[in-house]
Amino acid sequence: MHKAENFDVVVIGGGTAGLVTASGCARLGRRVALIERTALGGDCLWTGCVPTKALVSSARLADQMRHADAWGITPAEPRMTPAAVMASMRERRRTISRHDDPQKFRDLGIDVITGSAQFVSSSEVEVRGTEVPLRRLRAKDIVIATGARTNVPPVEGLQEAGFLDHASFLEQDAIPPSILVLGGGAIGIEFAQMFSRFGSRVTVVEAAPEILLKEDAEMVERVRNVLTAERIKILAGWSAKSVRRDGEGRIVRIETASGDSRELTVDQIFVASGRRGNTDGLALERAGVSLNGSWVTVNRFLQTSSRRVWACGDVHGGLQFTHVAAYEAVKLVRNMLFPGKSAVDYDNIPWTLYTDPELAHVGMTEEEARAAHGDDVRVFSTEMADVDRAVVDRSESGMIKLVCNRKGRILGAHLLCSNASTVIQEIVLARRKGLRIGDLAQRISSYPSLADGVQKAASQFYGELATSWPGRLARRVAAITQ
């Protein structure tokens, strides 16, 4: 039996959640071991945010070239070599990967171990990998940060016919002439627009009645219109039932809930129909860690069912975003190493769909707000066509929508515009600091800027206030005192 090595904290998984946890503990003087099977950086760096947004940028440029006449420039069909596009993406990824260089973490005193971890008990793990045949690590606290991966649906013949997902696509140098995207969530919709702009004929098949179910319904309709204008076919309410090969292509049989059936012939299938936690092979039962399906079960302090085993990031099935993983890791370090507990709070966390234009979201949708607050809800919006910066940038498509209560409390915000992921941040801060819509109306922004759209929407609150009884009373008092 191998002698156990003692650490204060063992972190399993070297993605964002694991790296922030490990570095935070090390900076606080703890002895830390960080275990990662492949390369540090996780899904975000290698198969998620970084490479996909690099490709989104390339696809946006290709689309702008086709519509360059909007800028007074002769439009041209871009001459694309898929291998060159993918090489450019990988070069961007390499540039960013320096932030996750293992030596950076070793310099903090972290023992970075390449290998696969398996629980022995709630306080010990074994690691098998390339460095040594076996290491046994003992720690007071163990953190599971192993992330998630594509959940392949049980479609007859899919495995045999072959398919792509976001990870496998990034490893190839070809763009399929036609592709069927299984899943109308964020990943599926982002890739659908990207594939279309790279020249693919794209069909999206979504089993739910509509795409992007977490988003505001009005915004979803607008995104759908954008995609349809780019010749992307969306089949919501349809499910894939079987796949068979047809030479180099695939024939996919899809059905509705009422039994309607049809077949689609495509060159390739892209699976984006859900995610599952990376918990296989961890032997979590030895540590007394409960699962909900493939997801680690955690409480609001990020503790698992085993008191000194913790989990953060995608592996517990919550909001699966890099910025959420980093936020949770900071909370976890605080709860693990300091007295008392601080619960995670997701109310003011934004997220963005990286289509063009981007769709950013924080707080409640209009539907959620009306279900919770009824007639107390007020909605104020501005078309991007009325925002001067959007006009001069030729990005008039979209709108800014603020959902509030009668007193101006910001219940939610939804931005469909260029660079929405950045523009929404002032609303996130306003919500966090308890500011109201009137405060957004009164702040000053540079002109011209996309932030003007937020102010335009917020200013409508005062327009409505002026027609209410307090506004009428104020005008009457003003008239009397003149």
Side-chain angles (χ1 to χ4, degrees), residues 95-112:
T95 299
I96 291 175
S97 69
R98 70 180 187 272
H99 301 306
D100 297 332
D101 184 345
Q103 190 57 47
K104 169 183 172 181
F105 297 93
R106 291 189 174 107
D107 290 344
L108 292 174
I110 298 170
D111 189 348
V112 180

Side-chain angles (χ1 to χ4, degrees), residues 102-184:
Q103 190 57 47
K104 169 183 172 181
F105 297 93
R106 291 189 174 107
D107 290 344
L108 292 174
I110 298 170
D111 189 348
V112 180
I113 305 169
T114 302
S116 297
Q118 188 175 80
F119 278 88
V120 176
S121 68
S122 60
S123 60
E124 289 189 1
V125 297
E126 288 183 343
V127 186
R128 300 178 186 274
T130 58
E131 297 177 342
V132 292
L134 176 68
R135 290 178 68 177
R136 180 175 287 222
L137 314 179
R138 179 186 295 121
K140 179 181 178 182
D141 293 286
I142 300 176
V143 179
I144 305 166
T146 48
R149 66 183 185 276
T150 301
N151 185 33
V152 181
V155 176
E156 178 187 342
L158 179 61
Q159 295 281 2
E160 294 78 7
F163 60 90
L164 297 172
D165 67 358
H166 69 288
S168 58
F169 169 69
L170 295 173
E171 298 306 313
Q172 65 173 34
D173 292 327
I175 306 294
S178 64
I179 192 162
L180 186 149
V181 177
L182 285 182

Side-chain angles (χ1 to χ4, degrees), residues 115-405:
S116 297
Q118 188 175 80
F119 278 88
V120 176
S121 68
S122 60
S123 60
E124 289 189 1
V125 297
E126 288 183 343
V127 186
R128 300 178 186 274
T130 58
E131 297 177 342
V132 292
L134 176 68
R135 290 178 68 177
R136 180 175 287 222
L137 314 179
R138 179 186 295 121
K140 179 181 178 182
D141 293 286
I142 300 176
V143 179
I144 305 166
T146 48
R149 66 183 185 276
T150 301
N151 185 33
V152 181
V155 176
E156 178 187 342
L158 179 61
Q159 295 281 2
E160 294 78 7
F163 60 90
L164 297 172
D165 67 358
H166 69 288
S168 58
F169 169 69
L170 295 173
E171 298 306 313
Q172 65 173 34
D173 292 327
I175 306 294
S178 64
I179 192 162
L180 186 149
V181 177
L182 285 182
I187 294 175
I189 294 304
E190 285 181 16
F191 270 88
Q193 187 181 50
M194 182 200 309
F195 284 132
S196 179
R197 289 181 169 189
F198 284 150
S200 298
R201 298 185 306 278
V202 181
T203 301
V204 177
V205 173
E206 169 56 55
E210 185 55 279
I211 61 173
L212 303 172
L213 288 181
K214 293 183 179 180
E215 304 301 334
D216 185 272
E218 184 176 13
M219 299 308 229
V220 171
E221 181 179 3
R222 287 175 177 250
V223 171
R224 177 190 269 270
N225 290 340
V226 168
L227 299 177
T228 301
E230 296 190 22
R231 302 179 303 280
I232 296 168
K233 191 171 185 178
I234 298 174
L235 298 175
W238 291 80
S239 300
K241 294 300 182 181
S242 66
V243 180
R244 66 181 189 274
R245 290 298 293 261
D246 179 30
E248 293 300 312
R250 284 92 174 152
I251 298 176
V252 185
R253 182 172 63 85
I254 61 174
E255 289 185 0
T256 64
S258 60
D260 294 335
S261 178
R262 59 192 295 190
E263 289 188 339
L264 306 173
T265 301
V266 294
D267 293 292
Q268 188 56 272
I269 297 170
F270 183 86
V271 175
S273 54
R275 305 276 283 166
R276 61 176 287 111
N278 288 328
T279 52
D280 299 341
L282 289 175
L284 294 175
E285 68 281 359
R286 297 178 186 171
V289 174
S290 297
L291 292 174
N292 179 15
S294 65
W295 307 108
V296 174
T297 302
V298 295
N299 63 17
R300 60 198 184 104
F301 307 116
L302 301 171
Q303 288 174 300
T304 71
S305 53
S306 183
R307 193 173 64 89
R308 302 307 306 190
V309 179
W310 311 74
C312 64
D314 292 358
V315 73
H316 66 77
L319 293 176
Q320 297 189 25
F321 304 106
T322 298
H323 52 289
V324 175
Y327 162 73
E328 289 181 348
V330 172
K331 279 284 189 181
L332 188 153
V333 171
R334 180 255 174 269
N335 290 336
M336 186 168 61
L337 301 184
F338 294 91
K341 294 289 185 291
S342 177
V344 290
D345 177 7
Y346 301 113
D347 285 348
N348 293 312
I349 289 180
W351 64 76
T352 302
L353 175 72
Y354 288 93
T355 47
D356 181 19
E358 295 177 353
L359 174 58
H361 172 147
V362 66
M364 294 180 174
T365 65
E366 180 181 349
E367 297 77 26
E368 291 168 341
R370 293 196 184 281
H373 299 278
D375 293 339
D376 195 43
V377 172
R378 300 291 182 271
V379 176
F380 306 103
S381 62
T382 293
E383 297 290 333
M384 296 311 296
D386 294 326
V387 179
D388 293 353
R389 179 57 185 268
V391 173
V392 300
D393 283 347
R394 286 77 163 177
S395 59
E396 300 101 314
S397 176
M399 68 182 294
I400 291 174
K401 178 176 182 177
L402 305 178
V403 182
C404 308
N405 68 6

